[in-house]
């Protein structure tokens, strides 16, 4: 019977990892606000921020295309179009001391359309062929631009009055420096991007949220602060490009299934170890049989479960996905005696964790029925165990690769000893198991 996990074992990332998604974007937002508020910038920075949006569109867009990130390309393009049109108005105001005749219409229209297009492209994931996807996105941008241009050319005053009108007097506040409809557009965009981030926490989705806040801060300051437009648009575009780079790094160094650092990250760390360290190789017992019995989806959840417990290892240890059903625990600056209690604690935590399996064709209709079934033991319970082999650097094992080989030998010994146990490379043949459990 094909089964699925009834108990939630998919929550493998702690809250602080989600907060880290914002760490690259928030400093850029804060730096942009500080730079825009400065009474004056040097000629170098003024020139830099004048050319940075164009450079980010060209170089950042090319970088995003290399990784097949079409939506980031169009996010950058939508931001640049808004920047370009507003920059024309700001330059005229700065050079002549007065705004252009169409300034109010252009400003209100961009303030309304920019957050809507930003949210649309931000939530529009890549799903189809690259060329087809880019064509669809370009068609939407051209259609919106054509409709906006046509309406403003035919009914300029009517559109301007409608945009500036207070449609809901009871909801209008004295603090509102933009048209009322603009705040509605930002609210809808914020809700859409927030839902997207909560469903799929990623650095890119976090950067989109922070960038939207930057746009909301920037727009009322466009004609007030001399450098607000150039600085904040540059920062928001930089956030998006940096988020793509962050995710590219994760693709290379972090295992997508479990969220643990992957084999490449382990190899990088092994090159920076000191003289003393311990390596533990971890293997899920009977994983192939479990996978064949319950299905690959449940097998993936089992790997996430094991990874989630390994991530909690204490004693300065760090967990890595080695490959397949194998994991690695690394303890820099530790001995086997210092590491074993923490390794054993993880082994026991995995052994004692119970997972409930149920038939997806016979799912409960509501929470009440689900509780009754669980109370009545309607769902079958299974548990997972792991075998571990531990080795530390010795005089005869000078490289991390040699220590890993010793840990692998100890792992095979743990498998031969009945599984669900820990074997040390220093144990002699026939020694008792360091830690045993249910086989």
């Amino acid at each position: 019977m094909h089964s699925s996990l009834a108990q939630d074992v998919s929550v493998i990332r702690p809250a602080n990892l989600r907060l880290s998604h914002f760490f690259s974007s928030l400093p850029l937002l804060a730096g942009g606000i500080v730079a825009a508020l400065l009474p004056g910038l040097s000629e170098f920075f003024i020139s830099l921020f004048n050319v940075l949006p164009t450079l980010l569109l060209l170089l950042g867009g090319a970088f995003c295309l290399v990784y097949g990130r079409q939506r980031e390309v169009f996010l950058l393009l939508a931001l640049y179009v808004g920047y370009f049109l507003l920059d024309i108005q700001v330059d005229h105001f700065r050079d002549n001391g007065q705004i252009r005749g169409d300034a109010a219409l252009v400003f209100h229209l961009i303030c309304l359309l920019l957050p809507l297009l930003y949210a649309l492209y931000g939530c529009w994931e890549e799903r189809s062929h690259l060329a087809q996807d880019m064509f669809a996105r370009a068609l939407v941008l051209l259609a919106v631009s054509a409709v906006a241009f046509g309406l403003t050319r035919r009914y300029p005053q009517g559109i301007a009055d409608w945009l500036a009108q207070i449609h809901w007097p009871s909801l209008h506040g004295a603090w509102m420096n933009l048209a009322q409809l603009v705040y509605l557009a930002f609210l809808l965009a914020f809700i859409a991007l927030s839902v997207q981030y909560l469903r799929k926490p990623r650095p890119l989705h976090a950067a989109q949220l922070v960038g939207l806040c930057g746009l909301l801060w920037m727009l009322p300051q466009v004609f007030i602060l001399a450098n607000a437009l150039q600085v904040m648009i540059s920062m928001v575009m930089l956030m998006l490009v940096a988020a793509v780079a962050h995710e590219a790094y994760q693709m290379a160094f972090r295992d997508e299934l479990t969220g643990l650092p992957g084999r490449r990250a382990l190899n990088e760390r092994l090159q920076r170890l000191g003289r003393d360290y311990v390596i533990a190789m971890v293997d899920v017992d009977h994983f192939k049989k479990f996978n064949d019995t319950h299905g690959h989806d449940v097998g993936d959840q089992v790997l996430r479960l094991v990874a989630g417990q390994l991530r909690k290892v204490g004693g300065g240890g760090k967990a890595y996905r080695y490959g397949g059903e194998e994991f690695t625990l690394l303890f820099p600056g530790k001995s086997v005696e210092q590491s074993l209690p923490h390794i054993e604690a993880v082994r026991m935590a995995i052994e004692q964790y119970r997972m409930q399996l149920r038939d997806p064709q016979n799912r409960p209709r509501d929470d009440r029925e689900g509780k009754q079934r669980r109370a009545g033991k309607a769902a079958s319970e299974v548990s997972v165990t792991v075998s571990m082999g531990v080795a530390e650097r010795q005089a005869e094992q000078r490289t991390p690769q040699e220590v890993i080989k010793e840990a692998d030998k100890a792992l095979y010994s743990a498998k031969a000893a009945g599984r669900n146990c820990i074997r040390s490379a220093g144990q002699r043949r026939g020694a008792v198991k360091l830690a045993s459990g249910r086989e």
Side-chain angles (χ1 to χ4, degrees):
M1 178 181 65
H2 181 71
S3 305
S4 63
L5 281 176
Q7 187 167 345
D8 182 14
V9 297
S10 61
V11 182
I12 60 172
R13 294 178 175 85
N16 61 344
L17 185 59
R18 293 192 176 189
L19 291 176
S20 70
H21 293 164
F22 294 89
F23 286 170
S24 61
S25 301
L26 289 175
L28 290 174
L29 175 64
I33 293 175
V34 170
L37 289 173
L38 291 175
L41 292 175
S42 66
E43 289 295 328
F44 170 79
F45 284 106
I46 292 176
S47 301
L48 174 65
F49 286 118
N50 280 332
V51 300
L52 197 53
T54 304
L55 288 177
L56 287 170
L57 175 66
L58 297 177
L59 300 181
F63 175 75
C64 293
L65 284 176
V66 168
Y67 287 94
R69 303 296 186 90
Q70 300 96 299
R71 65 168 162 176
E72 285 75 53
V73 173
F74 279 88
L75 274 171
L76 295 175
L77 184 58
L79 288 169
Y80 188 81
V81 170
Y83 158 75
F84 179 78
L85 295 175
L86 287 176
D87 192 47
I88 293 175
Q89 301 292 335
V90 173
D91 283 344
H92 184 275
F93 176 73
R94 185 182 299 119
D95 295 339
N96 299 282
Q98 59 183 5
I99 61 174
R100 288 174 39 148
D102 60 347
L105 175 61
V106 172
F107 178 75
H108 289 312
L109 194 60
I110 291 175
C111 289
L112 178 67
L113 292 180
L114 186 56
L116 296 178
L117 286 172
Y118 186 89
L120 173 64
Y121 286 128
C123 296
W124 189 346
E125 296 185 357
E126 297 87 352
R127 296 186 181 277
S128 59
H129 188 271
L130 175 64
Q132 295 174 350
D133 193 72
M134 292 193 67
F135 177 77
R137 293 170 194 270
L139 194 62
V140 169
L141 184 60
L142 288 174
V144 172
S145 302
V147 170
F149 180 77
L151 289 175
T152 54
R153 291 282 293 180
R154 188 172 181 84
Y155 310 105
Q157 192 59 46
I159 296 296
D161 293 341
W162 180 77
L163 290 172
Q165 181 182 350
I166 299 176
H167 297 268
W168 305 280
S170 61
L171 299 178
H172 189 73
W175 54 270
M176 292 183 176
N177 297 318
L178 299 173
Q180 196 177 57
L181 287 174
V182 174
Y183 289 101
L184 176 61
F186 269 98
L187 178 62
L188 294 175
F190 185 81
I191 291 174
L193 295 176
S194 297
V195 170
Q196 177 181 242
Y197 176 76
L198 292 174
R199 291 181 59 189
K200 296 181 180 179
R202 292 172 49 186
L204 174 62
H205 297 162
Q208 291 172 359
L209 270 173
V210 177
L212 184 68
C213 296
L215 295 178
L216 181 58
W217 179 88
M218 175 200 74
L219 289 173
Q221 315 296 331
V222 165
F223 292 100
I224 299 174
L225 300 177
N227 303 299
L229 175 64
Q230 293 86 348
V231 170
M232 190 52 68
I233 285 292
S234 298
M235 293 298 102
V236 175
M237 295 176 76
L238 190 57
M239 289 177 202
L240 299 175
V241 176
V244 173
H246 187 178
E247 293 195 352
Y249 172 86
Q250 288 190 330
M251 289 171 59
F253 290 93
R254 188 170 294 275
D255 177 59
E256 183 177 7
L257 176 64
T258 64
L260 290 177
R263 182 77 168 269
R264 182 175 295 181
L266 174 62
N267 292 336
E268 290 282 336
R269 185 67 182 90
L270 292 177
Q271 297 176 11
R272 297 179 280 108
L273 289 173
R275 293 178 57 86
D276 301 319
Y277 54 88
V278 171
I279 295 177
M281 299 301 294
V282 183
D283 187 85
V284 181
D285 295 330
H286 302 297
F287 181 74
K288 185 179 185 303
K289 180 179 178 181
F290 191 94
N291 222 15
D292 293 340
T293 302
H294 301 290
H296 292 283
D297 290 342
V298 177
D300 289 346
Q301 295 285 8
V302 168
L303 293 178
R304 292 191 184 102
L305 161 66
V306 173
Q309 297 300 325
L310 293 176
R311 182 182 285 109
K312 301 174 184 177
V313 66
K318 187 174 179 63
Y320 298 83
R321 173 88 182 274
Y322 194 77
E325 66 269 25
E326 265 194 304
F327 299 86
T328 302
L329 293 175
L330 181 62
F331 294 84
K334 303 293 183 179
S335 64
V336 169
E337 290 74 16
Q338 293 172 319
S339 305
L340 275 178
H342 304 286
I343 299 174
E344 166 64 2
V346 169
R347 185 200 65 78
M348 290 184 62
I350 295 173
E351 178 194 9
Q352 294 170 2
Y353 196 97
R354 294 292 183 268
M355 295 183 300
Q356 293 179 341
L357 302 178
R358 63 169 176 249
D359 183 3
Q361 304 299 325
N362 189 27
R363 297 178 64 87
R365 289 169 293 182
D366 50 38
D367 292 340
R368 182 179 179 182
E369 183 179 345
K371 291 179 181 179
Q372 291 175 347
R373 291 189 185 184
R374 287 191 290 273
K377 303 295 183 181
S380 59
E381 284 189 347
V382 298
S383 62
V384 181
T385 62
V386 295
S387 300
M388 300 183 176
V390 185
E392 65 179 322
R393 182 185 180 277
Q394 303 283 353
E396 58 270 22
Q397 292 100 36
R398 294 185 175 276
T399 67
Q401 288 71 28
E402 292 174 343
V403 179
I404 289 178
K405 288 181 180 179
E406 290 300 313
D408 267 330
K409 293 177 182 178
L411 175 61
Y412 297 144
S413 177
K415 292 285 189 181
R419 294 184 170 85
N420 189 22
C421 63
I422 303 172
R423 278 290 202 183
S424 169
Q427 285 184 285
R428 296 181 179 180
R429 186 172 300 182
V432 296
K433 292 184 286 184
L434 288 174
S436 61
R438 184 169 52 82
E439 298 182 7

